[in-house]
Amino acid sequence: MERIALTVSALVVAIGVAAGQSLNVDRPTYLGFDRNDYPGDSNLEALHQTFSYTGYWLNHPPGEKTNTWTGHRVAVESAGFGFLVLFNGRLYAELKSVANATKLGNSDAQAAAAAGHREGFPSQTVIFLDQEQGGRMLPEQKAYIYAWVDGVTAAGFRAGIYCSGIPAKDDNNVVTAEDIRHSAGRRRIVYWAINDVCPPAPGCAFPVKPPNHPPSPAQSGVSFAEVWQFAQSPQDKDVAAHCTGYNRDGNCYPPGISPAQQVHVDVNSATSPDPSNGRTH
């Protein structure tokens, strides 16, 4: 069913292109990375040889007790990077009810905006809410997401969401990104889809030199995505079992840095060298 779902998604993209829809297929694409831990100032130059932009956390990344990115925005921008600005959202178990989820969404939006200001990101920077859980979003999850989106927008930033672009086999092949967009009303949300299934993902790969180029985010199966995360560290043995390019330890390591340094990355393609529009000059 997963293979069929992916084929249907590809067909939808092809039909959209034929109908003249703007699916970002022909736009220039740029390679970027993200990771929970700051890679260190000394590695920025080597990383910029491959990547145009980097993820940048405003709060503790998933599973972490600290945020090592705090205070490094100037160094990252000075090294030539654009940004994918990230805020780690709540898991379903924390939401409890629609009313509580709405309250948490509002307070987390204020926290994201405050952190964005402290780090020096300009107004209208896109802050991506990290939605780790996939499948069909439950009422509490949607209440939290949309309250957060509205709060971030009201604070003068733009709202994005990082979420699954993989059909959920145990939930009627629902694609989280499509489910969120379907109920979003007139909210303007930038979508960053994760789909590390091969194909359509190229695996742990760094296609930047001509004639190769990063794949279009529309090829992720989410036609409206502006960013596509196509490789994760460590490799998901269930989802990405057929993918190549990963190290023996299961991680994806970038060119120019020894794997011994353990600077493993998640790899992304985007339609902009600064997907969050977070650079100050």
Side-chain angles (χ1 to χ4, degrees):
M1 291 300 292
E2 182 175 84
R3 186 178 300 276
I4 292 174
L6 289 170
T7 302
V8 170
S9 296
L11 181 60
V12 169
V13 171
I15 293 172
V17 171
Q21 294 180 13
S22 177
L23 299 180
N24 299 326
V25 174
D26 296 323
R27 292 173 62 181
T29 51
Y30 304 87
L31 204 65
F33 78 96
D34 67 280
R35 64 193 315 271
N36 283 2
D37 297 328
Y38 184 63
D41 293 350
S42 61
N43 286 318
L44 293 179
E45 182 178 355
L47 288 166
H48 191 50
Q49 298 301 310
T50 302
F51 301 109
S52 298
Y53 54 89
T54 176
Y56 193 100
W57 288 96
L58 294 179
N59 62 343
H60 295 177
E64 304 293 337
K65 296 181 179 180
T66 59
N67 179 14
T68 56
W69 289 87
T70 301
H72 291 287
R73 188 199 63 77
V74 173
V76 171
E77 181 170 344
S78 296
F81 286 97
F83 294 94
L84 284 168
V85 182
L86 277 159
F87 185 87
N88 185 22
R90 306 276 181 158
L91 299 177
Y92 175 73
E94 300 175 77
L95 302 180
K96 309 300 183 183
S97 67
V98 168
N100 190 59
T102 301
K103 182 179 179 181
L104 287 173
N106 287 328
S107 61
D108 282 358
Q110 294 176 27
H117 286 304
R118 281 196 306 271
E119 290 297 305
F121 286 105
S123 63
Q124 298 303 305
T125 293
V126 179
I127 302 176
F128 289 90
L129 177 67
D130 181 27
Q131 172 58 48
E132 288 286 317
Q133 294 170 309
R136 191 185 309 274
M137 294 289 96
L138 297 173
E140 297 86 349
Q141 292 171 303
K142 288 186 176 180
Y144 173 79
I145 290 168
Y146 299 139
W148 187 91
V149 166
D150 292 343
V152 164
T153 303
F157 291 97
R158 294 177 61 202
I161 188 161
Y162 165 92
C163 59
S164 177
I166 303 172
K169 292 188 292 184
D170 58 351
D171 197 4
N172 295 317
N173 283 327
V174 168
V175 176
T176 306
E178 295 174 353
D179 183 52
I180 293 171
R181 190 182 191 227
H182 178 74
S183 304
R186 296 186 177 182
R187 294 178 177 89
R188 299 181 65 181
I189 303 173
V190 180
Y191 289 85
W192 174 2
I194 161 64
N195 186 351
D196 52 345
V197 179
C198 296
C204 174
F206 308 96
V208 292
K209 295 181 179 180
N212 296 323
H213 58 83
S216 167
Q219 294 175 254
S220 66
V222 178
S223 63
F224 48 86
E226 295 187 31
V227 187
W228 174 18
Q229 186 182 88
F230 58 78
Q232 288 189 325
S233 293
Q235 179 182 15
D236 188 321
K237 296 298 185 181
D238 293 325
V239 172
H242 299 294
C243 298
T244 60
Y246 288 87
N247 190 274
R248 277 181 165 183
D249 65 7
N251 289 314
C252 184
Y253 292 108
I257 299 177
S258 170
Q261 292 193 48
Q262 291 290 295
V263 184
H264 47 72
V265 296
D266 300 340
V267 190
N268 304 273
S269 176
T271 55
S272 168
D274 183 21
S276 276
N277 195 31
R279 293 180 60 87
T280 58
H281 59 273

